[in-house]
Structures are given as C-alpha cells and as structure tokens.
Amino acid sequence: MTPATKPLDIGHGVGLRREHFARVLSAPTRVDWFEIISENFMVDGGRPLDILMRVRRDYPVVMHGVSLSIGSTDPLDMDYLDRLRRLADRVEASWVSDHLCWTGVGGHNTHDLLPMPYSEEALEHVVSRVSRVQEKLGRRIALENPSSYLTFAASSLSESEFLAVVAERADCGILLDVNNVYVSSVNHRFDPVAYMDSIPRNRVWQFHLAGHSDHGAYLLDTHDHPVPDPVWDLYRHAVGRFGAVPTLVEWDANIPEWDVLEAESLQARKVRDKIVAAELQPEGAS
Amino acid sequence: MTRDGQGSGSDSPDLRRTQELFWDLIAAPQGVRPGLAALRASGRMDAGDLSFMIRGDDRLAPEDRLDIYASMYFYRLRDSLAEDFPKVAAIIGGAAFHNLVTDYLLAHPSRHWSLRYLGVPFAGFLASQDLSRSFPYLADLARLEWARIEMFDAADADVLTRDEAAVAGPDLHLGLIPATTILPFEWNVAPIWRHLEHEAAHDDGGGSNSAAVTGDNQEEFAAPMSVDRPEQQKTPTLVWRQGFAVYHRTLPPTESPCLEAALRDGVALPELCEILMGGEKEPDMQAAMRTVAGLLGRWLKDGLVVRPGFVSS
C-alpha cells in the first residue's frame, strides 16, 4: 500500500442528514462537500442510498464510521469491513474515518464510542489493527480523537501522545475533532493547546467542529448546539498549526434548518480563510 | 480482583479484562454501583470500588464517571427502539416502554455493528412478556412496524411494467421484488396502525415519543394512548416498497396463497390457477383465470413483480 499522504484541501463540509435531503437535492448549496455516517448507508437499497448517489453527483463525499471498534479486543468484523469497502468504492469516498475507541466486547455492541486505556498494550493492539484494516479496505484511514468522560489507571501515555504514535506507526491520518479536544480538556483538566501542539502536522487530514452541553461536573459531546466560542478559539489555533485542513461542522441532534447549518459552515470558512491569509502575508506587510 | 487478566507490572487489569468489566457495568440494569455489587456477590471481582481501573477526582468518583457511559448506552438504545416502534410505545406509554426496553436489552443486547438491527427479536420478545396478556395484539403491531423498516432499505429491483407483462403473455413467470413480505397476523392491527399514524401526523409535539426531558432535567414519560382492541382474526398482511414509499395492506383469502407462492419461488400463471382451484377458492379454470388476471393487474399496479432476469447489484 502506498504511504499515507495528506488529502487535498476540499474546503468546508457538513454532515448529510435526512432532515436536509430535500434541500440539498433541490438547489445548489454553499458547502463544498458532505460527510456521511457510513453505517447509515451500508444497506441493501431504498431511499438513503439513492439520495447518497444523487448527492455524490454534485459533491465529494467523506465517509465517517462509528462501528469499526478499532480498540476492541474482539476480532475485527470482516463482514463489516467488506461492506465498508464496497460503499467506499461505490461513492468514491474522498477518505474514510472512524474513532480511536472501542464499541463492544464479547460479541456485544454498545453503539457508543468507548474510551481506551492509553497503555503500551493498547498501543500495540491498535497499531496492529489499523494496519490490518487498511490492508482490508485497500486505503489509509483517519482516526478521530473521541470525547471522553473517564481516564484509566492503566494509561501511561496522554491521549495526544497515543494518537500521534498510532498515526506514525500504522501510517494513518488523524481526524482532529476540535470540540472533542476541548470537551476532554475540561473533563480531564489538560491543556488543549498543548494537546494540539503534540499532534504531528502532516497527519491531520480533517477537522471536526461541533457544540456540546455543560453538565456541571463535566461537558458532554452532544452535537446539538452551535459551535461555542472556546471551540472557535481552539479552531483558530488548529488552523494556525495545521494549515488549510478540510473542516466539517457536525450537528446531529436538535438539527436546525439548513440555512443555520450552512451559516455555521460559512463561519468556519471565514475563520480559516482569515488565518490562512495572514500566514501567507509576506513578512513586514501591513 | 483475581490475578487472571491483570496487566503485567501493574494492578490494572489487561485490555480484555478492562473491556469486559466496562461492558458488564454499563449494561447493568440498575446502574454501575449496583452492577459492581452484583459482580462482587457473584465472586467475579473482589475490589471494593473501581479505582483500580478508573481514575476519579474531586468532581466525580470512578463509578460516577462510568455511569455517564451507562446512561448513554441505555438511552441511545431505548430511543432507537422508540423510533423503530413508535406505535407500540404510544399504546403502552413511555414508562412501560422504558421498562420493556430495560428487560429487552438484558435478553437481547445488540450483537450487530449497526443499530439498525437492534429491533430484530423485539416482536418475539414482546410476545413472551406479561404485557402481552393485557395487549395480546401488540406483538403483531410490532411485527408490522418492523417489517416496514425492513422493506424501507431492502434491495432495489427493476419492476415489470404492464406493457412488458402483456408481451410475455401466459408464459410469464412471476417473481416478486425483494422489498416484499407477507406477515401471518393473528390480530387485525392495520386499523390501529392507521389510527396512530393519523394521531402522530396531527400531533405537532411529536406525540409518539416515549419520553421527553423537562426543564429541570427530569424525564417525563408519555402517557399510554387509549385505542380500541382490534379483532382477533387471521389477517395475512402484505408489506412492500414501491419506489421509496413503504405500504401495507390486508390480503383477501383468494390473493394470499397466490402471493405466498410467488414470494417463495416465483410462480407461472397456470400454477396460480391450480392454487385457486385446489384451495377451492374458484370452481373452474375459467373463473380462476379471471381471478388471476385481476390479481396480476393489481400486483403490476403495486409494483410487486420483478422484471425477469433482473439481478440486484
């Protein structure tokens, strides 16, 4: 397999959700691409697949999964990977991503993104599985940092160290979820800027932006709000460090009208363009 | 904590044991602390708390942190089932549905990578519950709701047109599209389904939801919805997709055996006549041919007949 390379900057996208199917198909939009939840379209037929193929005629599609369970100690699910590959081939996905997490054990599936202990044992395990998944899919994948609500006594590495080593050793990309960095930084009291600064520049393929909820003792990653100010601030830092990386606004609950979601994506574009333009200014220019 | 499954050089369990304990505790029906007590009582662990595995701090103890995942696990799956079975949930009400799902997840935890399949054994489970004594028709209603989901994303197929059927004439061999199923109901649940669909369409608050969260973060369960008990009668029901819309209708006695034969292996027109005469639905070949012509017209109109030679991609 060819070595991982940072994908082209395809601009700003949003998640393709059924609430917006009719709007997206009826007229041009001001977003550049769509991200799908892979599993929602890994079906035999019917309306969702038809919609997806019609959207694909006009936009690049990025596939984002929730069931890879890369950190589980159960065997990899080959049926799942076969179906994932078929869908990726069919939509000519710009890239395929999932989460640094596990979703079940003993044959059970929780359908949640469960946290990993950041131990040497887990590191070996994840690196080996990412390599096998990439072979099976015939392409490099990107892994997203999850939001988390607990840390394990067994962890000997920080999350960012773990993610960076996985990416280097398995030769995969990183989907840097800026909201997740912020949520976890509050929940576990770490410095989100230092987290970002320890992620290798060339490994970040995509950013996620989203909103969260404040539950007092912790923040919960709910994707049901506009992007809040601290996440915008962190995004500015991310763009400064990682450059013009494709950026997606996630909004999965209390989904707003299309115009509101589109405006949030346009705001991300404005923020990113301003920082990238400033970086390109020759020294001494005013 | 037994020595089995411990990571080398540490008091922490290894990755496998960590994940097994994590699963056992977030799937415990009463929450993490009662789950921990149950594991201790059964001799599966001897630690007094979870600090050997999870770090706590001044804000949350390890058990509280794990409880966040336990809540997310249960509510995500409960809400998914409420979305799949809105009419069952509406009839029994939010509180009973919540309890039903609690028992269901213990008996049938998800084993599929997609949440889409969580409800596969739900109707059968419902039939085995005490709830079915008060609502004996509920399992059939659940089967109808589930079949509609199955048909929604079943494989696509090219449909035979009237003109193509006319060209084929009596040599036509009838096969049905993959998005077709027949349910052998004991109760006539279609009127209840229609009534609840109408109610939901006219409820701007999304009335079939099983629960909502109030301003003070307390869950407020939807009250049971009163419906007339349906008739107990054998009611074979066809569920199918035409284009992207899913439909269902009750099958009359003449149509049911014919459609079942077509669904099984496909069927030639003369065989349909024999089925009708053999079952004494029609007295002679001429009457049978007239009935078959009528059935074929309806099936073509409903988009049920697959174009011969079509292979799903």
Side-chain angles (χ1 to χ4, degrees):
Chain A
M1 192 183 302
T2 53
T5 49
K6 204 165 176 166
L8 291 175
D9 173 26
I10 56 173
H12 293 262
V14 297
L16 180 64
R17 302 292 177 262
R18 67 183 171 201
E19 288 80 354
H20 300 138
F21 281 173
R23 166 63 187 87
V24 169
L25 290 174
S26 66
T29 74
R30 289 189 284 172
V31 302
D32 302 317
W33 51 278
F34 284 94
E35 184 183 81
I36 59 165
I37 301 295
S38 309
E39 290 78 5
N40 291 351
F41 297 89
M42 289 160 67
V43 293
D44 293 332
R47 183 169 180 254
L49 267 181
D50 179 74
I51 299 274
L52 174 59
M53 297 316 294
R54 287 159 66 191
V55 168
R56 179 64 188 91
R57 277 184 226 148
D58 297 325
Y59 301 92
V61 166
V62 169
M63 283 172 51
H64 184 52
V66 293
S67 300
L68 181 60
S69 202
I70 198 72
S72 174
T73 50
D74 275 2
L76 287 167
D77 186 330
M78 292 303 162
D79 169 62
Y80 171 78
L81 291 173
D82 281 338
R83 295 191 74 133
L84 189 66
R85 179 169 186 159
R86 281 205 296 276
L87 184 64
D89 290 345
R90 189 170 176 179
V91 301
E92 299 172 279
S94 298
W95 60 86
V96 175
S97 65
D98 205 295
H99 302 80
L100 177 64
C101 73
W102 59 290
T103 62
V105 71
H108 301 121
N109 200 324
T110 66
H111 303 285
D112 199 357
L113 310 173
L114 305 176
M116 296 294 297
Y118 299 126
S119 63
E120 291 294 335
E121 181 202 9
L123 187 63
E124 294 294 327
H125 183 68
V126 171
V127 167
S128 150
R129 280 165 68 101
V130 172
S131 300
R132 283 156 56 209
V133 165
Q134 292 183 141
E135 284 297 325
K136 181 79 180 164
L137 295 179
R139 69 190 72 213
R140 302 283 168 191
I141 62 169
L143 284 182
E144 175 183 340
N145 56 299
S147 281
S148 67
Y149 312 102
L150 62 78
T151 54
F152 288 96
S155 292
S156 54
L157 299 166
S158 70
E159 181 177 286
S160 57
E161 288 169 336
F162 190 95
L163 190 57
V165 176
V166 167
E168 292 294 340
R169 284 179 44 192
D171 195 13
C172 69
I174 292 173
L175 194 179
L176 190 62
D177 188 312
V178 180
N179 177 56
N180 288 351
V181 172
Y182 181 74
V183 165
S184 293
S185 77
V186 171
N187 291 345
H188 308 309
R189 290 180 174 138
F190 63 73
D191 176 0
V193 171
Y195 180 112
M196 291 205 170
D197 289 350
S198 63
I199 297 287
R201 280 194 170 88
N202 63 336
R203 290 285 170 191
V204 176
W205 292 4
Q206 182 187 345
F207 294 136
H208 270 176
L209 295 171
H212 53 257
S213 302
D214 189 342
H215 285 241
Y218 61 95
L219 300 182
L220 194 65
D221 179 32
T222 44
H223 297 184
D224 60 349
H225 285 76
V227 179
D229 287 343
V231 176
W232 283 123
D233 289 343
L234 209 47
Y235 178 56
R236 288 184 185 91
H237 181 79
V239 175
R241 174 168 173 77
F242 301 103
V245 169
T247 299
L248 177 105
V249 173
E250 289 185 296
W251 208 321
D252 297 319
N254 296 328
I255 293 177
E257 295 293 319
W258 170 259
D259 291 351
V260 175
L261 179 62
E262 191 181 56
E264 198 77 337
S265 177
L266 292 174
Q267 176 62 20
R269 185 191 303 272
K270 200 169 147 190
V271 168
R272 201 189 81 165
D273 286 353
K274 190 174 171 188
I275 291 166
V276 170
E279 299 274 325
L280 293 175
Q281 287 276 5
E283 232 173 285
S286 57
Chain B
M1 186 77 213
T2 64
R3 292 298 303 170
D4 285 349
Q6 283 194 343
S8 58
S10 155
D11 290 334
S12 298
D14 68 13
L15 186 57
R16 180 72 182 177
R17 178 75 177 138
T18 297
Q19 293 181 343
E20 287 171 344
L21 271 176
F22 201 113
W23 159 254
D24 284 342
L25 292 170
I26 66 169
Q30 306 296 330
V32 168
R33 284 188 175 83
L36 200 52
L39 283 181
R40 272 198 302 269
S42 67
R44 291 173 63 196
M45 68 177 292
D46 52 23
D49 60 33
L50 285 179
S51 57
F52 71 95
M53 184 167 94
I54 295 168
R55 292 180 185 137
D57 64 11
D58 56 314
R59 294 172 295 178
L60 292 167
E63 293 78 13
D64 298 324
R65 290 191 172 275
L66 194 54
D67 250 333
I68 299 170
Y69 288 96
S71 294
M72 289 196 295
Y73 164 69
F74 177 76
Y75 287 106
R76 173 176 286 115
L77 271 51
R78 186 200 66 179
D79 292 350
S80 172
L81 288 168
E83 199 171 309
D84 289 347
F85 300 97
K87 292 172 177 61
V88 170
I91 288 173
I92 65 176
F97 191 78
H98 180 103
N99 294 334
L100 178 67
V101 170
T102 303
D103 294 339
Y104 178 69
L105 292 178
L106 286 174
H108 299 286
S110 175
R111 291 183 172 274
H112 198 280
W113 48 261
S114 174
L115 201 47
R116 150 79 174 74
Y117 298 95
L118 179 63
V120 171
F122 188 76
F125 176 78
L126 194 49
S128 73
Q129 299 298 293
D130 285 348
L131 203 58
S132 281
R133 289 194 200 139
S134 312
F135 302 97
Y137 57 88
L138 213 52
D140 275 354
L141 183 61
R143 286 184 190 102
L144 177 56
E145 295 203 279
W146 187 253
R148 292 182 59 92
I149 289 171
E150 294 275 25
M151 296 307 101
F152 176 74
D153 59 13
D156 300 319
D158 283 351
V159 174
L160 190 72
T161 64
R162 277 176 183 277
D163 289 347
E164 289 165 339
V167 169
D171 295 334
L172 181 64
H173 188 86
L174 286 174
L176 301 185
I177 59 168
T180 314
T181 189
I182 298 170
L183 301 168
F185 289 153
E186 296 293 324
W187 297 80
N188 184 13
V189 293
I192 288 192
W193 188 94
R194 198 162 46 242
H195 170 71
L196 293 172
E197 187 73 359
H198 181 267
E199 291 289 312
H202 291 83
D203 182 349
D204 53 11
S208 62
N209 286 344
S210 63
V213 177
T214 59
D216 53 359
N217 233 14
Q218 292 296 306
E219 211 173 16
E220 198 171 83
F221 290 117
M225 194 176 276
S226 178
V227 293
D228 292 335
R229 187 168 165 144
E231 284 180 81
Q232 183 173 13
Q233 63 180 78
K234 291 204 182 301
T235 319
T237 299
L238 170 70
V239 186
W240 82 103
R241 190 180 78 225
Q242 186 169 17
F244 298 130
V246 177
Y247 301 95
H248 64 261
R249 65 179 170 85
T250 303
L251 293 171
T254 45
E255 187 176 8
S256 179
C258 295
L259 206 49
E260 279 166 11
L263 187 59
R264 264 195 307 276
D265 307 308
V267 71
L269 295 180
E271 288 174 65
L272 288 179
C273 294
E274 284 165 26
I275 288 169
L276 288 171
M277 289 193 295
E280 296 181 352
K281 300 281 189 304
E282 297 296 352
D284 55 46
M285 181 57 92
Q286 238 179 358
M289 283 171 67
R290 275 199 303 276
T291 300
V292 166
L295 291 177
L296 180 58
R298 175 83 201 251
W299 297 350
L300 290 168
K301 180 170 166 281
D302 286 344
L304 287 171
V305 184
V306 70
R307 177 178 288 152
F310 174 80
V311 180
S312 179
S313 61

